[in-house]
Amino acid sequence: MARVDSISSINNEPFKTTSSLTSSRGPSPLTVGMSDTLPLAVAFTEIVHAYFKGADETKCKVRIYGDMQVSFPAGIVQVLANNPNPATLSFRVRLNSPLETIIPNQQLISQDVETSTEDSRCYTFQMTALRDHLRRQAEGNPTAPFFNVDILKYQVKTLPGASSCPLHLLAHWKCEEKTTNLRVDYKYNSQGAQLSTLVNIALGVTVDGGVTSMQAMPTAAWVSETQRVSWKLTDLNQHSEGNGSGALRAKFELNNGPSSPSSVTVQFLGEGRTLSGTDFELVGGGYRLSLVRKRFATGKYYCDPDVDAKFS
């Protein structure tokens, strides 16, 4: 619980600009004309933090933070600089899940309160500020094909317990003088994952007590320098074997036992969707949306041991 509670608030995270859109090519960086419809790309990234303690999933703590970037092609800088009256860039963010907090980049956008509703927020760029911001970025990095600007940060209102977690976890330890037995149960949660496939799944845990040998099912990697065992799993979704449920098992021989149970850490990614379902649409003319990229990933995703549960 303390680990999740210590996660930085989105209020402390600065807005920033980068010069590439990772894992996508974004809008064309080629020179665009004054009369062209200007291409934009949008990226939503959400980070899920979760803390499981024992078998009672109602005690799970989860937080989901998101950010939205807009990617501008380098060619737009000259268009905005040479056009004294560029088309106003406005957009709507559709909220398919309630948000705890939404923070706009007030240096660049302002909310249109009159057209915003309970399930959508409308924003308009301050075009002079946008032009000056992109010009400064181009001067600092003149060869960059794109400029990605943080526009919104938000915190998703999560469901009770572990309902909003894409992957549920439970760790069992049996620690004796000469051996340690570990079992980690995992379960894909289609509701929390928004039916997305979880990829690049990795689980790891530290086992002390002087491990001399390990037997694991499925096969795991042991690194003696860090006293850490790790598993890599194939993709998980609702169509996986056992509906995405399974167990990892390992037995460790020790020469300085017993071991002390420790936290299991997990990493995974989801592409093509966000956990909140938040979406983007342009309002008005002058611009077109060439790409919307959505993804989510783990932040601090932990499972602490159920020391009272019977190991089987």
Side-chain angles (χ1 to χ4, degrees):
M1 201 153 37
R3 288 189 179 93
V4 174
D5 290 340
S6 68
I7 296 168
S8 299
S9 166
I10 56 174
N11 293 282
N12 300 326
E13 294 294 326
F15 289 97
K16 61 184 182 295
T17 300
T18 58
S19 56
S20 64
L21 188 61
T22 305
S23 301
S24 68
R25 56 184 180 84
S28 171
L30 299 177
T31 302
V32 289
M34 295 279 287
S35 60
D36 291 343
T37 301
L38 303 178
L40 306 173
V42 173
F44 286 96
T45 302
E46 293 182 353
I47 304 296
V48 54
H49 306 273
Y51 175 66
F52 295 84
K53 175 67 174 178
D56 188 353
E57 292 186 348
T58 64
K59 296 180 180 179
C60 175
K61 304 296 182 182
V62 57
R63 292 180 182 175
I64 300 172
Y65 297 116
D67 67 68
M68 189 195 83
Q69 286 187 338
V70 176
S71 179
F72 298 90
I76 201 175
V77 177
Q78 288 301 317
V79 173
L80 294 179
N82 296 328
N83 188 346
N85 296 299
T88 299
L89 175 54
S90 299
F91 63 92
R92 179 180 292 111
V93 176
R94 294 202 174 276
L95 311 176
N96 292 317
S97 297
L99 301 182
E100 294 276 6
T101 309
I102 184 167
I103 302 176
N105 185 343
Q106 295 182 350
Q107 294 180 342
L108 296 177
I109 65 173
S110 57
Q111 183 178 350
D112 188 341
V113 178
E114 291 186 0
T115 56
S116 296
T117 64
E118 183 178 354
D119 58 1
S120 70
R121 300 287 188 274
C122 294
Y123 297 93
T124 298
F125 274 87
Q126 303 164 33
M127 299 306 295
T128 300
L130 176 62
R131 179 198 63 199
D132 294 344
H133 180 80
L134 292 177
R135 185 182 65 234
R136 288 193 298 270
Q137 299 305 317
E139 291 171 351
N141 192 355
T143 61
F146 315 108
F147 298 104
N148 305 325
V149 183
D150 282 347
I151 298 302
L152 292 174
K153 296 181 181 296
Y154 54 91
Q155 180 178 351
V156 181
K157 186 174 183 179
T158 56
L159 299 172
S163 298
S164 296
C165 296
L167 190 65
H168 294 185
L169 301 165
L170 177 61
H172 306 267
W173 292 75
K174 183 179 181 181
C175 299
E176 298 177 332
E177 192 70 25
K178 297 297 183 181
T179 61
T180 291
N181 285 276
L182 169 66
R183 190 182 85 233
V184 180
D185 299 327
Y186 61 88
K187 180 176 63 175
Y188 173 83
N189 177 23
S190 58
Q191 179 185 24
Q194 296 294 306
L195 298 178
S196 296
T197 298
L198 306 184
V199 301
N200 297 343
I201 306 167
L203 297 90
V205 61
T206 298
V207 182
D208 62 8
V211 175
T212 58
S213 65
M214 177 190 74
Q215 295 176 314
M217 185 183 301
T219 302
W222 171 256
V223 179
S224 56
E225 290 79 7
T226 58
Q227 303 181 87
R228 194 164 179 82
V229 58
S230 59
W231 285 269
K232 293 185 182 297
L233 300 183
T234 56
D235 300 351
L236 284 180
N237 56 39
Q238 69 272 27
H239 304 299
S240 300
E241 183 179 356
N243 296 319
S245 298
L248 310 175
R249 297 174 182 267
K251 181 177 181 179
F252 304 89
E253 301 291 338
L254 313 174
N255 62 14
N256 191 27
S259 302
S260 299
S262 61
S263 300
V264 176
T265 61
V266 184
Q267 295 177 322
F268 55 78
L269 296 173
E271 298 281 358
R273 296 189 184 186
T274 58
L275 299 175
S276 66
T278 302
D279 211 347
F280 177 96
E281 64 182 43
L282 289 170
V283 176
Y287 304 88
R288 60 183 172 85
L289 197 57
S290 64
L291 175 72
V292 178
R293 189 194 70 187
K294 300 178 181 181
R295 69 197 302 260
F296 60 86
T298 48
K300 298 180 179 179
Y301 210 96
Y302 288 88
C303 170
D304 266 354
D306 187 356
V307 295
D308 297 323
K310 183 178 179 181
F311 188 91
S312 59

